[in-house]
Amino acid sequence: MDASSGSSGDSGDKRDRNQSSSEGNPSFHFTPRHLAQLEAYLKLCPHPDETQLHIIARDLGLDPEQIYHWFQTKIQGDHEGSESELESPSTEVARKKERRQMLEIADAAISELLKLMTTDNPLWTKSYDIVGFVLVPESYANLFPRAINLPSPDIIHQESSKDSIVVKLGVMQLIEMFLDSENWANLFPTIVSKAKTLRVFDIGSLENKSGALQLMYGEIHVLSPLVPSREFIFLRSCEQVGDGLWLITDVSVDNASLDNNYEGQIPDSPLRKFPSGCMIKQLPNGFSKVTWIEHVEVQEKSEIDNRYKELISNNFAFGANRWLFALYKMCEKIACTSIQYLPAHREISSPRGREVVINLSNRMVQNFCKILNLRDRPHFTSFHVGRNELFWDVLSVGNPLEEITYIPISDTSRISVIKTFNRDDNDLLIFQESSIDHLGAYVVFAPLDEASGEMVMNGESTNVAVLPSGFMISGDNSAVAESRNPHRSGGTLLTTCYQVLVCHDSLTLEMKVEAMKSLIGLIISTIQRITLGLECPNCWL
C-alpha cells in the first residue's frame, strides 16, 4: 500500500505551472504505450493530485512534470475556453490529508480481513442454515474490539458469512472487474443495482494493481420489492499478499472522514460494512479460487416484511454464498464466449454469436432486477408448494413453442432461444434466461422479431432494444425452517413483472385502458398457469 509521495521541487507552485504550460512546454513525444496508459489513467482519475502524478510518473518511467502537462492539455482541450487547473493549493492540502486518512483506514481493514481469511477456529463455525461459515461473535469481539458508532441501537443486527468457490477466470481479469464500478455492477447484476467510483486515491501497480485504493458507492438488493435495497459508501483496496494471491478489501467510511466534495453523493446509510471482501488465488489451470467474506452491521430504518426476516438474518439474502454463486454464474457465461469452448448439439456454435446472446441476456437480467427493486411495492401473498416442474408458455397465446437453441451456463442456469409458431402475425423469438440458486429462481425473457433475433444469434447485432419481463420465485421464512428440517415444506413468494410498450401519442384513452386491461389479464393468466403447474391453483388468491 506504500506509494511514493512528495512535491515536484523545482517545478514551483500551480500558478507557475499554468503559466509555463501556456507559454509552451519542451517538446516531448509519448510512445503509443505511454498514450494508451495515460488515457486509461485519465478515465480512472481525471483530476490527479500531486501524489498521484508522482505515482503515474513512477509507473511509466517518466517525469511528473511531463505527466502534469499531458493531463493539463487534455483537460483544457476538453473544456476549451474555461479556466482549469488540476487542483488549487488549498484543495491539494485537503486531498492529501484525506488520502492519508483513507490509507490508514484501508491498511487496518486489510490487516483485519487477512486475519479473518487465514484463521478458522475459534473465529469461524459451520453454518447450519447455508453452506459455509459464520463468525463466532465472542471470538471476533476479543480479537477485534471496537466501539459501536451507529446511533440508536434499537434494531441493529450483524450478518457474517464466509465461503469459497473455484471460477473459470484468471486473477487479473477478476481484479480489473472489481476495480471498475461499471464492470463490478455487470459482474453481479442480480445483486448490485447501482455502482459508482467517487474518487481514486491510488491506481496501484501497472503490473498487478497491487496498492490500488478507491472510494466507491454501491446499492445492493434482493430480487424482491418486499426488501429495501442497501446503500453504502466504502473504500475498496487491492493488495497482493502472497505469490499468486490477492486481497480485495471493502470497508465502510464514516462521513466525518470525507471532505465536502462528496456532498449530495453520500447516502444516509444504515449499513456499516466491516472489513469484507475476497481473497483470490491464481490456480495453475488459469482458474481462480475465490474465498469471500461478508461482515456487516445493519440498523433497519424500516420494518422488514415478515416473510423475509429470517432469510436476511440467516445470510441467505446478502451472504457470501450468494455473491459467490453470482460470480460463478457470470464466469461461466464468460467462459462460454471463448473460442476454446466446444458447443453441444443445438447450442449456438459461433463464439461471436454466443457472446452477443449472452450480452443481450445480461442486459435483460439487469433491467429486470432494477424493476424488481422499485420502491413502490405492491401487495404480495405467499403459498406453500411442493417442488414440481413449472410449465411455462409465455407469449405463445396458446400456440406451439420450441426451444431452437440454447447456451448452458451451469447445471442450474440456462439461456434459451424459443420460437413461437402459427401466430397471426410474424413468428417471434423469445430470449430467456432461467436460473436457480439457494435463494430461489428467476425466469427473465424478452421477445424479438425473428429477423432481429437471427441477427443477434449470428453475432451481427449488439444494440437490439429489449423490454424484459419475468418472474421470481423465492422462499419465505419457512424456507429457512425447511433447510433445518427436510420433512417440512417451505413457503414460496412469487413476484411477476411485465413490461409492455402500450402508450403512444396516437392511442386514445379508451385504447390505453383496453391495453392495460389486457396486460392485467396477462399477469393473472401467468400466475394461474404457474400455480396450476405447482398444483396449488388457489394459493395466490
Side-chain angles (χ1 to χ4, degrees), residues 14 17-25 42 46-47 68-86:
K14 294 284 184 182
R17 279 182 158 179
N18 289 335
Q19 184 178 0
S20 170
S21 175
S22 64
E23 294 173 354
N25 303 319
L42 182 67
H47 300 283
Y68 173 84
H69 286 304
W70 185 89
F71 271 89
Q72 186 79 346
T73 301
K74 290 292 291 186
I75 292 173
Q76 289 174 343
D78 293 340
H79 306 281
E80 189 174 356
S82 65
E83 292 185 17
S84 63
E85 55 182 82
L86 297 183

Side-chain angles (χ1 to χ4, degrees), residues 475-526:
D476 62 9
N477 278 343
S478 56
V480 177
E482 181 187 13
S483 69
R484 296 170 179 162
N485 181 3
H487 300 293
R488 178 175 175 179
S489 177
T492 300
L493 294 167
L494 170 64
T495 306
T496 61
C497 175
Y498 275 88
Q499 294 190 95
V500 179
L501 193 61
V502 295
C503 293
H504 191 276
D505 293 341
S506 63
L507 294 180
T508 65
L509 178 60
E510 183 179 352
M511 294 169 66
K512 292 179 181 179
V513 171
E514 286 301 316
M516 187 56 65
K517 287 181 180 179
S518 298
L519 181 57
I520 293 173
L522 177 62
I523 293 174
I524 293 174
S525 175
T526 299

Side-chain angles (χ1 to χ4, degrees), residues 12 34 100 111 143 153 174 198 262 314 390 429 464 471 493-494 500 531:
H34 287 150
R100 284 195 299 269
S111 176
L143 190 58
L174 288 171
L198 301 178
Y262 306 104
N314 287 279
L390 294 177
L429 292 181
V464 175
F471 59 86
L493 294 167
L494 170 64
V500 179
T531 54

Side-chain angles (χ1 to χ4, degrees), residues 160-180:
S160 66
S161 54
K162 178 182 179 182
D163 205 356
S164 60
I165 201 171
V166 174
V167 297
K168 296 179 181 178
L169 212 61
V171 167
M172 293 315 301
Q173 287 176 280
L174 288 171
I175 289 174
E176 293 281 356
M177 291 179 176
F178 277 104
L179 294 179
D180 183 292

Side-chain angles (χ1 to χ4, degrees), residues 16-191:
D16 294 337
R17 279 182 158 179
N18 289 335
Q19 184 178 0
S20 170
S21 175
S22 64
E23 294 173 354
N25 303 319
S27 62
F28 179 82
H29 297 289
F30 292 101
T31 67
R33 182 181 71 87
H34 287 150
L35 292 173
Q37 291 171 331
L38 284 169
E39 291 289 349
Y41 288 134
L42 182 67
K43 181 180 177 182
L44 283 172
C45 185
H47 300 283
D49 59 24
E50 195 79 20
T51 302
Q52 290 166 330
L53 288 173
H54 276 263
I55 294 171
I56 296 171
R58 177 200 65 195
D59 289 340
L60 294 181
L62 299 174
D63 187 87
E65 194 73 11
Q66 296 166 337
I67 304 299
Y68 173 84
H69 286 304
W70 185 89
F71 271 89
Q72 186 79 346
T73 301
K74 290 292 291 186
I75 292 173
Q76 289 174 343
D78 293 340
H79 306 281
E80 189 174 356
S82 65
E83 292 185 17
S84 63
E85 55 182 82
L86 297 183
E87 297 283 2
S88 67
S90 60
T91 302
E92 186 174 325
V93 171
R95 292 291 196 190
K96 286 184 176 181
K97 179 181 178 182
E98 181 189 41
R99 184 175 184 276
R100 284 195 299 269
Q101 289 179 316
M102 297 301 108
L103 283 170
E104 292 175 0
I105 294 171
D107 286 342
I110 291 169
S111 176
E112 177 172 326
L113 186 62
L114 195 56
K115 289 181 182 177
L116 293 175
M117 288 286 184
T118 55
T119 306
D120 293 326
N121 291 326
L123 269 178
W124 298 94
T125 185
K126 191 76 176 68
S127 170
Y128 292 102
D129 296 319
I130 60 172
V131 177
F133 300 84
V134 294
L135 278 172
V136 178
E138 296 79 10
S139 299
Y140 176 81
N142 290 335
L143 190 58
F144 304 105
R146 56 163 57 88
I148 301 297
N149 296 323
L150 281 177
S152 176
D154 299 336
I155 323 175
I156 287 181
H157 71 271
Q158 288 194 18
E159 301 165 14
S160 66
S161 54
K162 178 182 179 182
D163 205 356
S164 60
I165 201 171
V166 174
V167 297
K168 296 179 181 178
L169 212 61
V171 167
M172 293 315 301
Q173 287 176 280
L174 288 171
I175 289 174
E176 293 281 356
M177 291 179 176
F178 277 104
L179 294 179
D180 183 292
S181 56
E182 182 178 349
N183 286 335
W184 178 56
N186 292 338
L187 197 59
F188 300 97
T190 58
I191 301 177

Side-chain angles (χ1 to χ4, degrees), residues 184-194 219-224 317-318 321-330 333 361-362 364-370 372-373 413 433-437 439 441-442 444 472:
W184 178 56
N186 292 338
L187 197 59
F188 300 97
T190 58
I191 301 177
V192 181
S193 51
K194 295 178 185 177
E219 181 181 26
I220 61 176
H221 64 271
V222 172
L223 291 182
S224 173
F318 295 106
N321 186 261
R322 184 173 175 229
W323 285 94
L324 286 175
F325 182 84
L327 177 65
Y328 173 82
K329 185 170 63 175
M330 190 58 68
K333 285 185 176 181
S361 186
N362 288 343
M364 286 166 33
V365 173
Q366 282 182 313
N367 188 308
F368 178 74
C369 292
K370 288 178 181 178
L372 284 186
N373 197 35
S413 300
E433 178 170 326
S434 56
S435 180
I436 303 173
D437 64 14
L439 191 63
Y442 66 79
V444 180
M472 167 75 184

